[in-house]
Each structure stands twice: as C-alpha cells, then as structure tokens.
Amino acid sequence: MTQHEQRPEQAGAGIGAGPGTASGPGAVAAGGGLRVPEGFLEDLIALRRRLHAHPEVGLMLPRTQEMILEAIADLDLEITLGTETTSVVGVLRGGRPGPAVLLRGDMDGLPVVEATGLPYAADTGTMHACGHDLHMAGLVGAARLLAAHREELPGSVILMFQPGEEGYDGAGVMLREGVLEAAGERPIAAYGIHVSADAPSGQISTRAGTLMAAFSVLEVRVIGRGGHGSRPHEALDPIPAMAEMITALQTHVTRRTSVFDPVVVTVGEVHAGSAPNIIPGEAHFRAGVRTFSPRMATRMAAQLPELVTGIGRSHGLTVEATFRTVLPATINDDAEAGFFARTAQGIFGAERYVDLENPRTGSEDFSRVLAEVPGAYGFVGAAKDFDPEDMPASNHSPMAVFDDSVLADQALLLATLARDRLRAAAGEGDPAI
C-alpha cells in the first residue's frame, strides 16, 4: 500500500463523533440532525473508486451515467436524462410543500494518462484528475442523506449531475435543457463543491463575491505579404508586428487596468512561417484572458482587439481580431456565501473553515448557474498528506491523488445546505438568508 492509498475500511475511522467534535475529515456523524448511517463512507468510497477507474471525457459519458443511475435507483427520485449530453437530473420531493434548491456535481474526466500507481487507477488514457469522481459520489451521498430525511424537507432538491465541465460548457447545455425548471419552479438557491488535491484534507473554504475568474480567448490573425527573407523591404512581414502585439498586451494590462480589478493575459499559442529564409504571408496567435468582474470582461472585449488592430495598422498590415468569452466569472451571492460558511463551521467546527482572501484564477462553468440563481460554490481540501514544504500534485496533474475520506463531509455539507436553506425559506432556520 503506497502512502496515498487508503483502504475503505480505514477511511473515516473516526465516524461516530458528534458535530464539530473532530478536526479531521470523515469524523463527523451528524449535521444538525442529518444522521450518517453505518457503512455510509465505505459505500461512497467504493462508488468513487468505480467511477475513478472508468473516466470519460466531454458531454457524452454513457458508462458514467449508467453508474450514477444505478447508485440513485432506490431513492424515489424524479429522473430526467439529457438529450444533448448524458446528464442526469434527479428531483427529490420533500414531505412538505416549499421551494426548490439545486445541488450540482460534475461528471467528466480529462484526457490525461494517469500516473498515480493506485490500485484503482484508470488505464483508459483518461483520468479523473480534477476530482469529479468525488463530486459525483459526494452528490450521491447527499441524495441518500436527504432521502432518509425526506419527510422533514419543506420543498424539493434538484440533483444536477453534469457532464462536460472541462471545456465543454456542460452547465450551459443543461440550462438550455431546463435543469432550473426540473422541479416545476426555479430553485431559490444553488450550491456546489470542488475538491482540491493540493489543500489540506477536510479544509473547507469559500468567499463572498467573485470566487473564480472569467475566461475569454483573444484570437488574432495578422495578414501581410510574403517574400524572400533577403529582401524584407519588398514584403509586409507580420512576425515583428505580432511580436509587438504580444508585448503590448502585457503592457496594456499593467498600464490600462487597475490592480484592484485584475486581468491575466497568457499568449499560449503562436503560429507563423515555415522556413528561416521565408517571410510568411500571415501569422496567428491566441491568448487566454482571465478577468474577475463583468465590467473588466466587457472592457477587455473592446480594448484588446482595438489594441492589436492599431499596431497592425501602423505596420501597414491587416488584422482580424476576435474576443470570445468562454465562461463568465464564478460569483457567489454574498448572503449565500455567508450561509455556506456558517453551515460548514456549524457542522465541522471553525477550525476547519477558511475564508478565502482572494479569488482563484481558474474558471468553472457552475458560473452559469450562479448567474441565474443566487448561490455559493466552495472548496474541500483532499490532500491526505499535506506538506506546505513539499506541495502535493494539484488538480489536472497525472499524479493528482485525492483523499476519499472527505466524501462523507462533502455529502453532509451539501445535504445540510439544501435542507437548511429550505428550512430558512419556510421561516424555520437561518434568519440571515
């Protein structure tokens, strides 16, 4: 057994303590009345490892969908399957009338060859390198806890099992297919959790406002006139102009945008020429642009194409520049983020919660849900042997390893958020919502 491997029967051996009495993951048995049954964590770990061994990429995940449907088959849910994707939407009806709350877990893996050496590692050339296998298993666990307390719920819970988070905008597809109307009315709140392979196991975090960046792509085609490298004055060379554009983008960020509303520009793709003695007729580059507010995203969409077009014009070149927003920023509702934080601390203790000082620079398509419904997204650390002096592999690494003893915590937090938010709507709970 490697240092990262953990047998299901060993994980969460502390289950049985009361709420907030233990500092490690898997050590909480109940959250304000939600009882974690015998064998709960072990079952979730077994499900997670089955999912981990068979990752699928993109919007069509038939085997993953089959495993999810099998895992929730006995919960008396109203099930809807996607048509553009292999999504699964389950609606859990409570025993009392009330509004709906949405919980989300993404389903897809990555085109990464796993190199962890774990006994349940995938051998498919794909990998759950971002922890979506834990997200699915955690959402299944939340559904099981809520189903066991169905009669107490004043409303419904929408369970959103979403393919295609890794660059396929699966959330956008599910919105078009009506996930927000699955319970008959739009949810009053939405919540999600993402695990982190490089944060201490069991540490829970979020923040109000912008949590993750928007991601956009600037695509630039610089059109000149090709010629012989010995006579550049007879051609219109696009390469020096393109180099000037790339440098100017970085200068623009530091001199035209506020450090308090930041922009991150990375030119990750450059194409030009075919030989050292030939001036090409055109050159191309693509840049990733990350912003943290809708205002700055709108400014960059106008300013960056204008900047590169002007530089090209000064060189006598034609420039075709497009700015395409891939995902908006993930912005937590202030009140819902506070509710998320209070709920996590109430279950697990203040020592296991961290209020993030800054947003994360990655992007997430749950942003589409939060643009439609107030809610909150947060993180659960899953690095079993965390050492700040020797940081573990992060999400998306072929060496990323996730401590699946956090699954009971994920499930309990999601289920408690849904139940207590419905109670608050019924006037029975947190008055700050």
Side-chain angles (χ1 to χ4, degrees), residues 52-53 71 88 111 126 136 166 238 276 336 344 409 414 417:
H52 186 89
V88 177
T126 57
M136 289 182 281
E166 299 288 358
E336 297 292 352
D409 292 354
L414 285 171
L417 285 167

Side-chain angles (χ1 to χ4, degrees), residues 241-329:
M242 180 174 68
E244 186 177 331
M245 293 173 193
I246 291 171
T247 300
L249 288 172
Q250 303 303 327
T251 304
H252 187 90
V253 166
T254 61
R255 290 297 176 267
R256 294 288 303 280
T257 67
S258 169
V259 296
F260 303 108
D261 192 0
V263 179
V264 179
V265 176
T266 300
V267 178
E269 190 177 342
V270 177
H271 303 281
S274 59
N277 63 335
I278 299 173
I279 294 172
E282 60 183 64
H284 312 257
F285 73 90
R286 297 207 304 167
V289 182
R290 297 185 186 272
T291 52
F292 298 85
S293 71
R295 172 180 171 273
M296 188 57 72
T298 299
R299 281 188 58 191
M300 292 302 98
Q303 291 179 4
L304 297 188
E306 181 182 272
L307 172 68
V308 297
T309 300
I311 292 171
R313 188 181 303 115
S314 71
H315 287 265
L317 304 167
T318 299
V319 177
E320 297 175 356
T322 60
F323 189 96
R324 175 173 56 90
T325 297
V326 179
L327 290 173

Side-chain angles (χ1 to χ4, degrees), residues 142-232:
R144 291 177 179 173
L145 292 175
L146 290 166
H149 295 264
R150 182 188 307 270
E151 296 307 313
E152 304 168 19
L153 295 178
S156 303
V157 180
I158 302 170
L159 306 165
M160 178 181 177
F161 291 93
Q162 179 213 306
E165 187 277 329
E166 299 288 358
Y168 295 86
D169 196 14
V173 176
M174 291 189 71
L175 288 175
R176 289 198 304 273
E177 292 196 333
V179 65
L180 297 183
E181 288 74 39
E185 59 180 315
R186 285 201 158 206
I188 59 170
Y191 307 103
I193 288 174
H194 205 301
V195 292
S196 300
D198 56 353
S201 191
Q203 176 182 286
I204 300 166
S205 58
T206 193
R207 71 189 305 273
T210 301
L211 179 72
M212 300 179 75
F215 179 63
S216 303
V217 175
L218 173 69
E219 300 191 46
V220 180
R221 180 185 179 206
V222 186
I223 305 168
R225 184 172 64 244
H228 198 284
S230 65
R231 301 195 296 272

